Amino acid sequence: MYKRPVPDEVFQEICRGMQEAEQSGELSGLFKGECREPRELPSASKLLHSIRPGIKLYKSFFLKIFGYDITTPGFAEDAISRLEILGSTKARGHYTRIVGEWKNQNEKMLHEVAAWYKKQCLTKERGDIPRQQQEAKQRKNREHQWKEMSKILGFQLTRKEK
């Protein structure tokens, strides 16, 4: 990454701002106090433990279950069973519908990408033949021009050039 130097007037403005903040006491106590715990990353077990009575079930929740099920087969069944035990009778239907929608959208996108790629390949194949023909024509034109120039300048042509 290329970094340009900060212009002097901008640097002076930054320095003035830092001095004002220091003099006003804004920076005092900046490094005092307790350190915050690092933010914990999401995990499959945390998602399972988050399933409690009264939990709000959003589309994103079911997509998370589906995502963990891809890497951990059987995870979706565990999560849906837990939801059913807690009284969510529609959880399985919601999960099936949402995952089906995602799969249909994904399949549609893959077909569009495949069609685009096929078109690119066919265009390239068709484009190579005329390009090769065009290059051959240009080569013949250059040879012809070379012969004409050689005749004008009085150079003796080789057998190959005749």
Side-chain angles (χ1 to χ4, degrees):
M1 181 172 152
Y2 177 74
K3 296 182 181 181
R4 291 182 276 169
V6 177
D8 288 336
E9 56 275 357
V10 174
F11 182 70
Q12 293 301 323
E13 184 62 34
I14 293 170
C15 289
R16 272 194 298 281
M18 291 297 293
Q19 285 176 344
E20 288 173 11
E22 189 175 350
Q23 289 171 358
S24 71
E26 195 176 333
L27 300 178
S28 57
L30 184 65
F31 297 106
K32 292 182 182 175
E34 295 294 317
C35 292
R36 289 188 234 154
E37 288 296 318
R39 199 166 165 211
E40 293 186 31
L41 297 175
S43 69
S45 62
K46 288 179 188 172
L47 185 67
L48 270 181
H49 292 299
S50 73
I51 299 174
R52 295 194 171 97
I55 186 173
K56 300 281 185 189
L57 301 176
Y58 297 102
K59 183 177 182 177
S60 59
F61 181 78
F62 289 108
L63 289 174
K64 288 176 188 174
I65 291 173
F66 175 58
Y68 285 121
D69 191 59
I70 291 171
T71 56
T72 310
F75 178 81
E77 185 57 39
D78 293 344
I80 301 300
S81 297
R82 189 168 182 154
L83 286 168
E84 289 174 336
I85 290 169
L86 294 174
S88 181
T89 57
K90 297 182 181 181
R92 188 171 302 278
H94 289 315
Y95 176 79
T96 304
R97 180 181 52 79
I98 290 168
V99 169
E101 287 173 4
W102 182 90
K103 286 181 177 180
N104 287 338
Q105 289 173 348
N106 189 52
E107 194 71 24
K108 182 182 174 189
M109 182 213 33
L110 289 175
H111 282 293
E112 290 171 1
V113 169
W116 173 86
Y117 186 69
K118 181 179 178 181
K119 183 180 175 185
Q120 294 296 315
C121 290
L122 291 174
T123 302
K124 185 177 180 187
E125 285 177 13
R126 281 189 245 122
D128 285 348
I129 295 169
R131 192 182 87 221
Q132 290 170 350
Q133 290 173 348
Q134 187 178 14
E135 288 173 356
K137 188 176 179 180
Q138 288 173 346
R139 210 173 13 260
K140 285 182 183 179
N141 283 342
R142 281 194 299 269
E143 289 172 8
H144 178 71
Q145 289 173 345
W146 176 253
K147 287 179 188 177
E148 291 298 315
M149 286 290 275
S150 297
K151 286 179 187 177
I152 292 169
L153 295 173
F155 294 136
Q156 186 176 4
L157 299 175
T158 62
R159 287 184 184 168
K160 183 180 175 185
E161 294 174 331
K162 292 181 182 178

